[in-house]
Amino acid sequence: MIKCNLCKSTNYRTITREIREGKGHIVECKKCSHVYQAIEMSNKDLEKYYNDIYVITNSLTSDVIEAKHHFDERLKTLDNLLLHLRKHIKKSDKVLDIGAGAGSLLYAIKKDVTSVSATELNKSYVEFMKSSLGINSYYGFIEKIQLHKKFTFIISINTIDHLPNPVLVLENIYKILEVNGKIYLELPNRKEALNFFLPEDNKKKFNKFYWHKAHYSYFSEEILVNLLKKVGFKDISVDYRHEYTILNYLNWYFNGEPQKVFVDATTNTKLFSGDDYFEKKMNGLFSDLNSNFLKLMKKSKRGDTIIVCATK
């Protein structure tokens, strides 16, 4: 039986049966308006998926991304995220990153805080964080891990939307936060511009790309705020950012497809590689355009990422 993973209602409408991987079923709850994927996977199935399949489908290539490569590539793309995150962390924080990948973000902030720890569902990434980065890392679901300690700051970047029971996850986060501890969430924005503002044919292509087997939930600001309040969080603030460049947006606008290299899609705004006056000026023009584009995505709340901070 299809049941909303927030309010448990079985009353829904179908949005689409086409997802990135082929056949799927994306629905909207008629009771609470939450958008979610109508599939059921056991914890065992999820572990297998994240260790064997997701590392391929999420790379947009047929290659498995090794932990060190994932760490290096992700590290190159963190400037935008760190710009927002560093406003909230302080030196005394004991930080836990839920769904830490190969540990790039924790590595980047390690010297800014008192301690860093991680949870992750990919075994090779956990071992890499332990052996290569010296990060205290746990394998498994946050609601099943025995941590035996609490944290002052918990980060979760594009992870809660991957898990079948976001309410349970947030309740467990609340339990392992110290009083007045803070949570910093980043999640895909259901209302991002590319879902709505592309030529019709290319919009359909992006929509199909956007719906992804790995994502159980597709959040809006309203749904997230209500969910955090329900769990017991206070002082909730919401912000937006956009991970990708203006060139990536234009690639979807004109070609109807993603750029194949994540680092380029999130950092590169150059059209030319030469030293001609025209090339330099055009590159400068697009660099300025990208800056204004990111500001617009943030102000209009149409960026691909919702940022939510809250206090226990």
Side-chain angles (χ1 to χ4, degrees):
M1 179 182 293
I2 297 173
K3 186 182 294 185
C4 177
N5 59 1
L6 295 190
C7 74
K8 307 307 178 186
S9 171
T10 57
N11 195 10
Y12 67 90
R13 72 175 185 89
T14 295
I15 294 176
T16 184
R17 292 184 180 274
E18 288 188 297
I19 62 174
R20 187 185 303 186
E21 294 83 0
K23 291 183 179 180
H25 193 192
I26 307 295
V27 302
E28 180 180 29
C29 177
K30 287 187 176 181
K31 181 179 179 181
C32 73
S33 300
H34 181 51
V35 176
Y36 61 100
Q37 187 163 187
I39 61 170
E40 291 185 6
M41 292 176 71
S42 66
N43 283 357
K44 185 177 180 179
D45 290 336
L46 276 171
E47 289 184 52
K48 179 175 176 56
Y49 178 73
Y50 282 107
N51 282 280
D52 300 336
I53 301 171
Y54 181 69
V55 288
I56 296 177
T57 59
N58 198 48
S59 72
L60 304 182
T61 73
S62 59
D63 300 322
V64 174
I65 301 177
E66 299 297 333
K68 179 61 165 64
H69 179 63
H70 183 281
F71 170 82
D72 289 339
E73 293 300 286
R74 182 59 175 145
L75 197 62
K76 297 173 185 176
T77 70
L78 289 177
D79 287 352
N80 193 340
L81 195 167
L82 289 169
L83 184 67
H84 292 81
L85 176 62
R86 282 200 167 111
K87 298 174 185 177
H88 301 278
I89 57 175
K90 56 186 184 296
K91 184 63 179 176
S92 60
D93 276 326
K94 296 172 288 184
V95 176
L96 175 68
D97 187 354
I98 296 173
S104 304
L105 179 58
L106 290 179
Y107 177 82
I109 65 170
K110 195 174 182 180
K111 294 180 180 178
D112 302 327
V113 298
T114 295
S115 66
V116 294
S117 300
T119 73
E120 172 56 39
L121 276 179
N122 183 295
K123 290 180 180 178
S124 67
Y125 291 0
V126 170
E127 290 307 312
F128 174 79
M129 285 189 281
K130 287 180 178 179
S131 61
S132 298
L133 304 180
I135 292 174
N136 188 26
S137 306
Y138 303 87
Y139 172 75
F141 296 91
I142 186 61
E143 62 268 32
K144 294 182 177 296
I145 298 171
Q146 298 297 316
L147 293 170
H148 303 296
K149 58 182 175 180
K150 292 192 174 185
F151 302 87
T152 61
F153 197 93
I154 295 179
I155 300 168
S156 183
I157 308 298
N158 296 331
T159 296
I160 292 175
D161 56 309
H162 287 238
L163 301 173
N165 193 333
V167 178
L168 182 61
V169 172
L170 286 169
E171 287 174 344
N172 276 273
I173 288 173
Y174 192 86
K175 289 177 185 177
I176 59 174
L177 263 180
E178 292 187 2
V179 176
N180 294 319
K182 294 186 177 181
I183 184 172
Y184 178 96
L185 303 178
E186 288 198 359
L187 292 161
N189 179 17
R190 168 69 186 101
K191 297 180 180 180
E192 74 160 281
L194 281 91
N195 265 323
F196 299 92
F197 304 107
L198 293 174
E200 196 60 36
D201 287 346
N202 290 343
K203 181 169 66 175
K204 290 178 181 177
K205 292 176 183 177
F206 179 80
N207 291 160
K208 183 177 179 180
F209 177 82
Y210 178 80
W211 307 120
H212 189 352
K213 184 178 179 179
H215 297 167
Y216 270 89
S217 296
Y218 295 85
F219 290 104
S220 66
E221 176 179 332
E222 297 78 14
I223 294 289
L224 269 174
V225 169
N226 288 335
L227 177 55
L228 288 168
K229 286 180 178 178
K230 179 180 178 181
V231 172
F233 285 97
K234 61 183 181 181
D235 302 329
I236 301 168
S237 65
V238 181
D239 198 359
Y240 290 81
R241 72 180 185 90
H242 194 66
E243 184 84 32
Y244 296 87
T245 68
I246 183 68
L247 291 184
N248 181 73
Y249 184 92
L250 293 176
N251 199 67
W252 275 107
Y253 190 94
F254 291 110
N255 299 324
E257 61 183 27
Q259 291 173 272
K260 301 301 182 185
V261 180
F262 179 70
V263 173
D264 275 349
T266 56
T267 64
N268 183 23
T269 60
K270 291 184 177 180
L271 292 177
F272 302 101
S273 58
D275 292 324
D276 185 86
Y277 173 82
F278 175 79
E279 292 176 303
K280 289 181 177 180
K281 287 297 182 181
M282 284 294 288
N283 286 341
L285 181 68
F286 267 84
S287 178
D288 293 340
L289 179 61
N290 188 64
S291 179
N292 289 327
F293 168 72
L294 296 180
K295 290 176 183 176
L296 173 60
M297 293 297 242
K298 180 183 180 76
K299 187 174 182 179
S300 65
K301 299 185 176 184
R302 293 292 187 175
D304 55 36
T305 301
I306 306 176
I307 303 169
V308 182
C309 298
T311 303
K312 177 173 178 178

